[in-house]
């Protein structure tokens, strides 16, 4: 049975475009995560630690080994507070 050579060009285009989009997605997620692989099975504790690390370093996937927190860390809490009026 002969091969329909006319179908090779569209099939090649489909394969190339899937490759381009897959590579582009991989590159974009790699850059968005600071050059680290994607995280999977993230639970509440991991999310809390990621928010804390972001407040400490200013980067989504950054971590710090400095034992002292930066100056603005104490006032960058995610908790909303209300002002207490002195009576």
């Amino acid at each position: 049975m002969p091969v329909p050579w006319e179908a090779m060009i569209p099939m090649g285009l489909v394969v190339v475009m899937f490759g381009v989009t897959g590579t582009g997605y991989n590159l974009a997620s790699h850059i968005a995560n600071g050059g680290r692989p994607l995280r999977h099975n993230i639970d509440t504790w991991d999310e809390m630690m990621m928010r804390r690390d972001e407040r400490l370093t200013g980067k989504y996937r950054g971590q710090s080994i400095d034992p002292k927190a930066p100056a603005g860390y104490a006032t960058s809490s995610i908790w909303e507070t209300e002002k207490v009026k002195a009576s």
Side-chain angles (χ1 to χ4, degrees):
M1 182 174 240
V3 176
W5 296 105
E6 307 86 33
M8 292 298 169
I9 292 174
M11 190 61 188
L13 287 173
V14 167
V15 168
V16 166
M17 292 314 292
F18 271 110
V20 167
T21 55
T23 303
Y25 177 76
N26 187 14
L27 182 64
S29 64
H30 192 74
I31 290 171
N33 284 310
R36 296 180 177 97
L38 290 173
R39 290 180 172 169
H40 299 285
N41 298 327
I42 298 172
D43 59 1
T44 307
W45 176 262
D46 292 331
E47 290 174 356
M48 183 180 63
M49 290 292 108
M50 287 174 8
R51 286 192 302 268
R52 179 195 64 119
D53 290 342
E54 185 174 14
R55 286 176 45 216
L56 277 172
T57 62
K59 297 178 184 174
Y60 176 67
R61 292 284 302 263
Q63 292 180 346
S64 176
I65 60 170
D66 191 16
K68 292 192 175 195
Y73 183 75
T75 59
S76 67
S77 176
I78 60 170
W79 294 96
E80 295 290 329
T81 59
E82 62 184 45
K83 293 182 181 180
V84 178
K85 296 180 183 179
S87 42

